[in-house]
């Protein structure tokens, strides 16, 4: 019985090709389920968390002299009449209102405080960041039911040299505490109108768009 032999060079090349094929096709990244262009049912998002540079309207009922419009400082604190250096970043408006009530109760009886966010930036964990080959890379505040299409409209779409279908979305998985990468096809979405390429975004998502090599 005769056996044919395979040159070592071909064997090594075959093994390398097999390994390469196993690593390509998205680099092992997962795919996100498609989202409709318009949400079937609008639903509230997560509670808003105050971030640096947010504009807040602090209203103290029946005490206009204690009410104020303030901007959250870069260090995450605010100053209002009778209260200095109150931490604000990382709190919801309701949480900050409760803390203001406790602080003001030293000066007035049973204060009623409302906190309204007028102009917001949000924390990084509540922003969607788009970087790379886009018309204007930016961090945009996440809003409820936001999709990939909404984010790309906000930054003006792809640049001339973008490799849109090689873009990826990086998302922090709170259950595992790890970052997960997904393939997204921006060229299919924006240039071909492929509805299946539109996906739902989450607060903290990062969209990375590489440039084409050619």
């Amino acid at each position: 019985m005769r056996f044919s032999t395979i040159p070592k060079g071909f064997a090594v090349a075959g093994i390398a090709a097999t390994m390469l094929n196993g690593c390509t096709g998205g680099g092992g990244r997962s795919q996100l389920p498609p989202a409709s262009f318009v949400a079937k049912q609008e639903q509230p998002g997560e509670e808003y968390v105050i971030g640096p540079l947010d504009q807040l309207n602090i209203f103290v009922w029946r005490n206009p002299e204690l009410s104020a419009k303030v901007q959250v400082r870069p260090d995450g604190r605010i100053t209002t009449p009778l209260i200095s250096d109150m931490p604000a970043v990382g709190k919801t408006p309701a949480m900050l209102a409760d803390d203001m009530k406790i602080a003001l109760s030293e000066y007035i009886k049973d204060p009623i405080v409302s906190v309204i966010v007028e102009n917001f930036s949000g924390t990084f964990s509540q922003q969607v960041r788009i970087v790379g080959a886009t018309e204007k890379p930016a961090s945009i505040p996440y809003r409820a039911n936001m999709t990939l299409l909404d984010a790309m409209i906000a930054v003006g779409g792809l640049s001339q040299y973008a490799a849109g279908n090689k873009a990826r979305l990086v998302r922090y998985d709170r259950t595992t505490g790890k970052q997960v990468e997904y393939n997204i096809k921006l060229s299919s979405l924006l240039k071909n109108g492929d509805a299946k390429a539109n996906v739902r975004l989450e607060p903290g998502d990062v969209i990375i768009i590489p440039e084409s090599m050619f």
Side-chain angles (χ1 to χ4, degrees):
M1 184 179 294
R2 299 176 63 185
F3 296 93
S4 60
T5 59
I6 301 175
K8 291 183 178 180
F10 286 108
V12 173
I15 295 171
T18 302
M19 295 176 62
L20 183 60
N21 289 334
C23 295
T24 56
R29 300 190 195 107
S30 303
Q31 297 290 340
L32 289 166
S36 58
F37 289 123
V38 179
K40 296 179 181 179
Q41 181 178 1
E42 296 290 340
Q43 298 178 343
E46 299 179 4
E47 283 193 276
Y48 183 76
V49 176
I50 296 169
L53 307 182
D54 281 357
Q55 294 279 353
L56 306 179
N57 187 350
I58 312 293
F59 176 74
V60 185
W61 189 56
R62 290 185 175 178
N63 291 272
E65 71 280 2
L66 299 180
S67 301
K69 290 187 177 183
V70 298
Q71 183 178 43
V72 182
R73 301 196 306 255
D75 65 359
R77 300 172 184 271
I78 60 172
T79 297
T80 64
L82 298 181
I83 301 176
S84 61
D85 294 336
M86 167 68 73
V89 165
K91 300 177 182 177
T92 65
M95 292 168 60
L96 179 58
D98 288 340
D99 290 345
M100 296 285 292
K101 291 177 187 178
I102 295 172
L104 288 172
S105 63
E106 297 183 11
Y107 308 98
I108 59 177
K109 184 178 179 180
D110 298 326
I112 299 176
V113 182
S114 297
V115 175
I116 301 170
V117 182
E118 294 191 338
N119 292 312
F120 54 89
S121 298
T123 60
F124 287 128
S125 63
Q126 288 191 315
Q127 294 177 1
V128 174
R129 286 170 281 180
I130 303 98
V131 297
T134 179
E135 289 297 328
K136 45 180 181 180
S139 292
I140 57 177
Y142 173 84
R143 62 174 177 79
N145 306 302
M146 178 180 280
T147 68
L148 184 60
L149 179 63
D150 300 322
M152 294 310 300
I153 290 173
V155 297
L158 298 171
S159 69
Q160 180 180 358
Y161 303 104
N165 281 352
K166 294 183 179 180
R168 63 188 189 274
L169 184 150
V170 182
R171 176 173 294 170
Y172 176 72
D173 189 334
R174 297 180 183 179
T175 59
T176 63
K178 298 180 180 180
Q179 289 190 157
V180 183
E181 292 192 7
Y182 299 92
N183 289 318
I184 49 177
K185 297 186 178 298
L186 293 176
S187 295
S188 297
L189 173 64
L190 300 177
K191 297 181 179 180
N192 303 327
D194 184 359
K196 294 181 180 179
N198 195 32
V199 299
R200 182 70 60 86
L201 298 181
E202 293 184 2
D205 281 352
V206 178
I207 299 166
I208 302 172
I209 309 168
E211 287 191 347
S212 174
M213 298 297 293
F214 304 98

